[in-house]
Amino acid sequence: MTQTATSPPILQTQIAFRPITPEDLPQAWQLSKDLAWPHRLEDWEQMLALGNGFVATTTDGSVIGTLLWWAWGPQAASLGMIIVSPAWQGHGIGKHLMALARQALPGYRLHLNATSAGVPLYEKSGFHSTGVVMQHQGNVSTVPLIPLPEGCRMRPMGAADLTAICDMDKAALKLDRSALLTRLMEDGRGILVDSEKGILGFSFCRKFGWGQATGPIIALDQAFALPMLAYWAGTCAGQFLRVDIPQDETVAGLLDQWGLLRVGSVVSMSTEVVETGDAATQPPICFALCSQALC
Protein backbone atom coordinates (compact mmCIF):
# COMPACT_ATOMS: atom_id res chain seq x y z
CA MET A 1 0.00 0.00 0.00
CA THR A 2 1.70 3.18 -1.20
CA GLN A 3 1.02 6.86 -0.76
CA THR A 4 -1.79 8.38 -2.81
CA ALA A 5 -1.17 10.05 -6.16
CA THR A 6 -1.45 13.48 -4.58
CA SER A 7 1.59 12.89 -2.38
CA PRO A 8 4.95 14.40 -3.32
CA PRO A 9 6.76 12.15 -5.82
CA ILE A 10 9.67 11.57 -3.45
CA LEU A 11 7.30 10.14 -0.85
CA GLN A 12 5.57 7.92 -3.42
CA THR A 13 8.90 6.23 -4.08
CA GLN A 14 10.32 6.22 -0.56
CA ILE A 15 7.42 5.45 1.79
CA ALA A 16 5.01 2.52 1.79
CA PHE A 17 2.26 1.59 4.24
CA ARG A 18 1.20 -1.94 5.19
CA PRO A 19 -0.25 -3.96 8.08
CA ILE A 20 2.17 -4.48 10.95
CA THR A 21 3.57 -7.98 11.55
CA PRO A 22 5.37 -9.53 14.54
CA GLU A 23 8.60 -9.26 12.55
CA ASP A 24 8.26 -5.45 12.65
CA LEU A 25 8.18 -5.27 16.44
CA PRO A 26 11.93 -4.97 17.13
CA GLN A 27 12.07 -1.88 14.88
CA ALA A 28 8.84 -0.53 16.36
CA TRP A 29 10.30 -1.01 19.82
CA GLN A 30 13.39 0.93 18.77
CA LEU A 31 11.19 3.82 17.60
CA SER A 32 9.57 4.00 21.03
CA LYS A 33 12.97 3.73 22.75
CA ASP A 34 14.23 6.66 20.68
CA LEU A 35 11.39 8.73 22.21
CA ALA A 36 12.33 7.52 25.72
CA TRP A 37 9.04 5.62 26.02
CA PRO A 38 9.31 2.84 28.62
CA HIS A 39 7.75 0.00 26.62
CA ARG A 40 9.63 -3.30 26.51
CA LEU A 41 9.60 -5.52 23.45
CA GLU A 42 7.35 -7.81 25.49
CA ASP A 43 4.89 -4.95 25.93
CA TRP A 44 4.75 -4.42 22.17
CA GLU A 45 4.20 -8.16 21.67
CA GLN A 46 1.33 -8.22 24.16
CA MET A 47 -0.33 -5.20 22.58
CA LEU A 48 -0.10 -6.59 19.05
CA ALA A 49 -1.48 -9.95 20.24
CA LEU A 50 -4.64 -8.08 21.27
CA GLY A 51 -4.99 -5.89 18.18
CA ASN A 52 -3.78 -4.85 14.75
CA GLY A 53 -1.99 -1.94 13.18
CA PHE A 54 0.01 -0.40 10.36
CA VAL A 55 3.60 0.60 9.73
CA ALA A 56 5.22 3.09 7.40
CA THR A 57 8.42 1.82 5.81
CA THR A 58 11.16 3.06 3.51
CA THR A 59 12.39 1.25 0.42
CA ASP A 60 15.03 -0.62 2.45
CA GLY A 61 12.37 -1.96 4.84
CA SER A 62 13.11 0.38 7.73
CA VAL A 63 10.07 1.04 9.92
CA ILE A 64 9.63 4.81 10.32
CA GLY A 65 6.06 4.99 11.61
CA THR A 66 3.62 2.87 13.61
CA LEU A 67 -0.01 2.82 14.69
CA LEU A 68 -1.79 0.07 16.64
CA TRP A 69 -5.53 -0.30 17.11
CA TRP A 70 -7.79 -2.47 19.22
CA ALA A 71 -11.47 -3.16 18.50
CA TRP A 72 -13.39 -3.35 21.77
CA GLY A 73 -16.65 -4.80 20.48
CA PRO A 74 -18.38 -3.98 17.17
CA GLN A 75 -18.74 -0.23 17.69
CA ALA A 76 -15.71 1.15 19.55
CA ALA A 77 -11.94 0.94 19.30
CA SER A 78 -8.84 2.57 20.73
CA LEU A 79 -5.72 3.73 18.90
CA GLY A 80 -2.22 3.91 20.31
CA MET A 81 1.52 3.64 19.78
CA ILE A 82 1.24 6.29 17.07
CA ILE A 83 4.88 7.10 16.34
CA VAL A 84 6.70 8.74 13.45
CA SER A 85 10.48 8.81 13.40
CA PRO A 86 11.70 12.38 14.08
CA ALA A 87 13.72 12.27 10.86
CA TRP A 88 10.53 11.69 8.86
CA GLN A 89 8.08 14.00 10.61
CA GLY A 90 6.33 16.68 8.58
CA HIS A 91 5.65 14.39 5.59
CA GLY A 92 2.05 13.45 6.46
CA ILE A 93 2.96 9.96 7.69
CA GLY A 94 0.94 10.24 10.90
CA LYS A 95 -2.06 11.57 8.98
CA HIS A 96 -1.88 8.68 6.52
CA LEU A 97 -1.59 6.08 9.29
CA MET A 98 -4.66 7.61 10.94
CA ALA A 99 -6.57 7.46 7.65
CA LEU A 100 -5.73 3.77 7.29
CA ALA A 101 -6.96 3.07 10.80
CA ARG A 102 -10.25 4.83 10.14
CA GLN A 103 -10.69 2.85 6.93
CA ALA A 104 -10.13 -0.36 8.91
CA LEU A 105 -12.72 0.69 11.51
CA PRO A 106 -15.67 2.14 9.55
CA GLY A 107 -18.38 3.53 11.78
CA TYR A 108 -16.44 2.87 14.98
CA ARG A 109 -16.26 5.31 17.87
CA LEU A 110 -12.51 5.84 18.28
CA HIS A 111 -10.57 6.69 21.43
CA LEU A 112 -6.96 7.70 21.99
CA ASN A 113 -4.73 9.54 24.44
CA ALA A 114 -2.71 12.31 22.82
CA THR A 115 0.33 14.32 23.77
CA SER A 116 -0.11 18.08 23.58
CA ALA A 117 1.86 18.07 20.31
CA GLY A 118 -0.50 15.52 18.78
CA VAL A 119 -3.79 17.17 19.75
CA PRO A 120 -3.99 19.47 16.65
CA LEU A 121 -3.49 16.52 14.28
CA TYR A 122 -6.24 14.50 15.95
CA GLU A 123 -8.63 17.45 16.08
CA LYS A 124 -8.25 17.74 12.31
CA SER A 125 -9.11 14.03 12.10
CA GLY A 126 -12.39 14.53 13.93
CA PHE A 127 -11.36 13.87 17.53
CA HIS A 128 -12.31 16.10 20.44
CA SER A 129 -11.05 16.28 24.03
CA THR A 130 -12.91 14.29 26.69
CA GLY A 131 -10.54 14.76 29.66
CA VAL A 132 -6.99 14.59 30.96
CA VAL A 133 -4.99 11.55 32.07
CA MET A 134 -2.18 12.10 34.57
CA GLN A 135 0.87 9.82 34.58
CA HIS A 136 2.30 9.03 38.03
CA GLN A 137 5.31 6.85 38.62
CA GLY A 138 8.34 6.22 40.81
CA ASN A 139 9.66 3.91 43.49
CA VAL A 140 7.04 3.46 46.18
CA SER A 141 8.49 5.10 49.30
CA THR A 142 5.57 4.81 51.72
CA VAL A 143 3.56 1.66 52.34
CA PRO A 144 -0.02 2.92 52.52
CA LEU A 145 -3.00 1.32 54.22
CA ILE A 146 -6.54 2.39 53.41
CA PRO A 147 -9.23 0.27 55.05
CA LEU A 148 -12.31 -0.93 53.22
CA PRO A 149 -15.81 0.05 54.32
CA GLU A 150 -17.40 -2.29 56.84
CA GLY A 151 -18.84 -5.44 55.28
CA CYS A 152 -16.42 -5.45 52.34
CA ARG A 153 -13.45 -7.70 51.69
CA MET A 154 -10.57 -7.74 49.25
CA ARG A 155 -9.61 -11.03 47.67
CA PRO A 156 -7.63 -12.47 44.74
CA MET A 157 -9.46 -12.64 41.43
CA GLY A 158 -10.36 -16.04 40.04
CA ALA A 159 -11.45 -17.38 36.66
CA ALA A 160 -15.04 -17.57 37.91
CA ASP A 161 -15.02 -13.76 38.31
CA LEU A 162 -14.23 -13.02 34.66
CA THR A 163 -17.79 -12.53 33.43
CA ALA A 164 -18.66 -10.18 36.30
CA ILE A 165 -15.58 -8.00 35.87
CA CYS A 166 -16.10 -7.83 32.10
CA ASP A 167 -19.64 -6.62 32.70
CA MET A 168 -18.43 -3.99 35.20
CA ASP A 169 -15.69 -2.82 32.83
CA LYS A 170 -18.17 -2.48 29.95
CA ALA A 171 -20.58 -0.52 32.13
CA ALA A 172 -17.78 1.87 33.10
CA LEU A 173 -16.19 2.48 29.71
CA LYS A 174 -18.84 1.47 27.14
CA LEU A 175 -16.21 -0.84 25.63
CA ASP A 176 -16.16 -4.64 25.38
CA ARG A 177 -12.64 -5.35 26.61
CA SER A 178 -13.22 -9.02 27.43
CA ALA A 179 -10.14 -10.08 25.45
CA LEU A 180 -7.96 -7.58 27.32
CA LEU A 181 -9.23 -8.61 30.75
CA THR A 182 -8.79 -12.28 29.91
CA ARG A 183 -5.17 -11.58 28.92
CA LEU A 184 -4.57 -9.59 32.11
CA MET A 185 -5.83 -12.51 34.19
CA GLU A 186 -3.26 -14.70 32.42
CA ASP A 187 -0.29 -12.32 32.50
CA GLY A 188 -0.86 -10.22 35.63
CA ARG A 189 -2.31 -10.32 39.12
CA GLY A 190 -5.89 -9.35 39.86
CA ILE A 191 -7.83 -8.47 43.01
CA LEU A 192 -11.38 -7.41 43.65
CA VAL A 193 -13.54 -5.97 46.38
CA ASP A 194 -16.84 -7.63 47.12
CA SER A 195 -19.57 -7.90 49.72
CA GLU A 196 -22.91 -9.61 50.10
CA LYS A 197 -24.15 -7.27 47.35
CA GLY A 198 -21.60 -8.58 44.84
CA ILE A 199 -18.42 -7.24 43.26
CA LEU A 200 -17.80 -3.57 44.04
CA GLY A 201 -14.52 -3.09 42.17
CA PHE A 202 -11.55 -4.83 40.58
CA SER A 203 -7.98 -4.06 39.58
CA PHE A 204 -4.83 -5.54 38.05
CA CYS A 205 -1.08 -5.16 38.40
CA ARG A 206 1.42 -6.43 35.83
CA LYS A 207 4.97 -6.09 34.56
CA PHE A 208 5.31 -3.12 32.25
CA GLY A 209 8.09 -0.84 31.11
CA TRP A 210 10.62 -0.07 33.83
CA GLY A 211 8.84 -2.08 36.52
CA GLN A 212 5.18 -2.62 37.37
CA ALA A 213 1.95 -0.92 36.30
CA THR A 214 -1.40 -1.01 38.03
CA GLY A 215 -4.61 -0.71 36.09
CA PRO A 216 -7.30 -0.82 35.13
CA ILE A 217 -8.93 0.04 38.44
CA ILE A 218 -12.71 0.00 38.07
CA ALA A 219 -15.01 0.48 41.06
CA LEU A 220 -18.44 1.73 42.06
CA ASP A 221 -16.93 4.31 44.40
CA GLN A 222 -13.63 5.80 45.53
CA ALA A 223 -14.11 4.00 48.85
CA PHE A 224 -13.48 0.72 47.03
CA ALA A 225 -10.91 1.96 44.50
CA LEU A 226 -8.44 3.61 46.89
CA PRO A 227 -7.90 0.52 49.09
CA MET A 228 -7.05 -1.48 45.95
CA LEU A 229 -4.64 1.21 44.78
CA ALA A 230 -3.04 1.25 48.24
CA TYR A 231 -2.77 -2.54 48.17
CA TRP A 232 -0.80 -2.50 44.92
CA ALA A 233 1.42 0.34 46.14
CA GLY A 234 2.17 -1.64 49.28
CA THR A 235 2.82 -4.81 47.32
CA CYS A 236 5.29 -2.91 45.12
CA ALA A 237 7.04 -1.08 48.00
CA GLY A 238 10.58 -0.18 46.96
CA GLN A 239 9.84 -1.04 43.32
CA PHE A 240 9.09 1.13 40.32
CA LEU A 241 5.35 1.48 39.81
CA ARG A 242 3.36 3.39 37.19
CA VAL A 243 -0.28 4.50 37.43
CA ASP A 244 -2.23 6.45 34.77
CA ILE A 245 -5.31 8.11 36.28
CA PRO A 246 -8.11 10.26 34.91
CA GLN A 247 -7.52 13.70 36.41
CA ASP A 248 -8.44 13.55 40.11
CA GLU A 249 -6.60 15.70 42.62
CA THR A 250 -7.54 13.49 45.58
CA VAL A 251 -6.03 10.39 44.00
CA ALA A 252 -3.08 12.39 42.64
CA GLY A 253 -2.32 13.75 46.12
CA LEU A 254 -2.20 10.26 47.61
CA LEU A 255 0.08 8.99 44.84
CA ASP A 256 2.47 11.91 45.44
CA GLN A 257 2.58 11.03 49.15
CA TRP A 258 3.49 7.46 48.31
CA GLY A 259 6.40 8.51 46.08
CA LEU A 260 4.50 8.10 42.79
CA LEU A 261 4.97 11.57 41.42
CA ARG A 262 3.18 13.13 38.48
CA VAL A 263 5.57 13.17 35.54
CA GLY A 264 3.27 14.16 32.69
CA SER A 265 -0.21 14.13 31.24
CA VAL A 266 -2.05 13.37 28.01
CA VAL A 267 -5.38 14.46 26.58
CA SER A 268 -8.09 11.81 26.20
CA MET A 269 -9.86 12.20 22.87
CA SER A 270 -12.80 10.57 21.10
CA THR A 271 -14.58 10.87 17.77
CA GLU A 272 -17.98 10.92 19.45
CA VAL A 273 -19.53 12.22 22.62
CA VAL A 274 -20.38 9.27 24.85
CA GLU A 275 -23.81 9.72 26.36
CA THR A 276 -23.89 9.67 30.14
CA GLY A 277 -26.13 7.18 31.89
CA ASP A 278 -29.14 7.84 34.07
CA ALA A 279 -28.00 9.74 37.16
CA ALA A 280 -30.21 7.46 39.25
CA THR A 281 -28.08 4.46 38.25
CA GLN A 282 -24.47 5.61 38.63
CA PRO A 283 -22.21 3.34 36.52
CA PRO A 284 -18.84 2.04 37.73
CA ILE A 285 -15.96 4.51 37.45
CA CYS A 286 -12.50 4.08 35.93
CA PHE A 287 -9.95 5.25 38.52
CA ALA A 288 -6.86 4.05 36.60
CA LEU A 289 -6.28 3.09 32.98
CA CYS A 290 -4.82 -0.19 31.83
CA SER A 291 -2.39 1.94 29.80
CA GLN A 292 -2.47 5.12 27.75
CA ALA A 293 -2.61 3.03 24.56
CA LEU A 294 -5.16 0.41 25.57
CA CYS A 295 -7.35 2.82 27.61
Side-chain angles (χ1 to χ4, degrees):
M1 185 179 299
T2 59
Q3 277 277 17
T4 62
T6 58
S7 302
I10 186 172
L11 295 189
Q12 290 187 42
T13 59
Q14 291 188 350
I15 302 177
F17 296 85
R18 59 171 173 77
I20 191 170
T21 69
E23 289 71 28
D24 296 316
L25 293 184
Q27 290 192 69
W29 175 44
Q30 186 60 54
L31 283 180
S32 62
K33 287 177 64 179
D34 291 343
L35 296 178
W37 289 11
H39 303 73
R40 306 168 301 157
L41 179 58
E42 292 91 336
D43 298 323
W44 274 94
E45 291 169 344
Q46 290 169 354
M47 288 186 292
L48 181 56
L50 289 164
N52 297 276
F54 297 97
V55 291
T57 64
T58 58
T59 52
D60 65 0
S62 297
V63 173
I64 57 173
T66 63
L67 182 151
L68 298 183
W69 57 266
W70 302 269
W72 305 127
Q75 297 179 321
S78 58
L79 311 179
M81 307 310 290
I82 305 169
I83 306 173
V84 176
S85 170
W88 287 90
Q89 291 179 5
H91 296 295
I93 295 173
K95 181 178 180 180
H96 196 81
L97 288 168
M98 179 65 67
L100 290 173
R102 301 201 73 160
Q103 290 173 17
L105 297 162
Y108 275 64
R109 181 178 75 251
L110 303 180
H111 303 269
L112 58 80
N113 289 299
T115 63
S116 57
V119 167
L121 167 66
Y122 304 129
E123 287 179 337
K124 292 177 182 177
S125 298
F127 288 80
H128 63 270
S129 173
T130 59
V132 174
V133 171
M134 300 186 295
Q135 179 181 335
H136 287 254
Q137 64 187 42
N139 291 333
V140 181
S141 59
T142 301
V143 179
L145 176 62
I146 299 179
L148 284 165
E150 185 176 353
C152 301
R153 63 168 182 161
M154 189 182 300
R155 65 172 174 84
M157 190 183 297
D161 301 310
L162 180 59
T163 298
I165 68 168
C166 288
D167 289 345
M168 179 173 280
D169 189 76
K170 187 174 183 179
L173 299 175
K174 305 296 187 291
L175 305 172
D176 183 358
R177 302 195 300 175
S178 302
L180 170 62
L181 298 175
T182 301
R183 183 64 183 258
L184 290 175
M185 288 189 73
E186 296 171 353
D187 295 344
R189 297 168 287 162
I191 58 171
L192 54 79
V193 173
D194 67 5
S195 70
E196 293 181 352
K197 297 180 180 180
I199 295 176
L200 305 171
F202 71 89
S203 63
F204 287 93
C205 190
R206 71 192 191 283
K207 289 184 179 179
F208 173 81
W210 298 321
Q212 303 282 329
T214 183
I217 298 178
I218 307 290
L220 295 178
D221 189 85
Q222 197 173 83
F224 313 125
L226 293 183
M228 290 191 290
L229 184 56
Y231 171 83
W232 291 125
T235 300
C236 298
Q239 303 178 52
F240 185 91
L241 180 64
R242 173 170 172 168
V243 190
D244 291 284
I245 63 169
Q247 189 167 22
D248 184 311
E249 294 307 321
T250 299
V251 180
L254 286 173
L255 293 173
D256 287 340
Q257 292 176 26
W258 302 343
L260 303 175
L261 304 180
R262 177 177 174 178
V263 297
S265 63
V266 292
V267 178
S268 293
M269 306 189 77
S270 175
T271 55
E272 291 183 17
V273 176
V274 179
E275 296 182 2
T276 57
D278 186 347
T281 56
Q282 177 64 39
I285 300 168
C286 177
F287 289 91
L289 281 64
C290 178
S291 72
Q292 291 184 9
L294 295 166
C295 294

